[in-house]
Amino acid sequence: GGVRGGWGKKKKPLVAADRVTPFDRWLGLDKDLEAELNDGVDQDVTYVDPSDASNYVSLSLVKPMGIAFVENEGGCGGVFVDEVLDSGSAASASPVLARGDQLVAVGSTLVLGWEFDATLDAIKASDDSATKLVLFRGPTSFLYGPTKASEEWYQENLL
């Protein structure tokens, strides 16, 4: 243990970015401090407005769709496209789905923030010959964060 074990064991809040000292920079701690302050928000990401319908893709797919969905990390819930398999209808669909597209709605049901199983159940439950999917093309921090669109907005603009 020694001195090394004593440092950094307690999770105390980090200093604000404007309090990062030259000493922190000299020790190379500034990057870690600032990274934790930004809480994983990627500074290089361009803002993608979740209240702008042009940032969504909508398509109707026949099952099997051939989309591998994965649940988002970070507690916001919801699922995103991990992979489009060659075997399903999504492979030849237009618009083309991209890895990271966030599933927002299945048919007229808003599945934003739903757990993985509940979301897949919504897709399975769709009886239509082709199931409409609405996906957001942008980071979860905008889709689920303070800039998120209201349920009313989705009803009026996308569903």
Side-chain angles (χ1 to χ4, degrees), residues 1-10:
V3 174
R4 181 180 206 118
W7 290 95
K9 282 283 187 240
K10 295 182 203 77

Side-chain angles (χ1 to χ4, degrees), residues 94-105:
S94 179
V96 176
L97 290 179
R99 185 170 197 274
D101 282 350
Q102 295 285 331
L103 184 61
V104 172

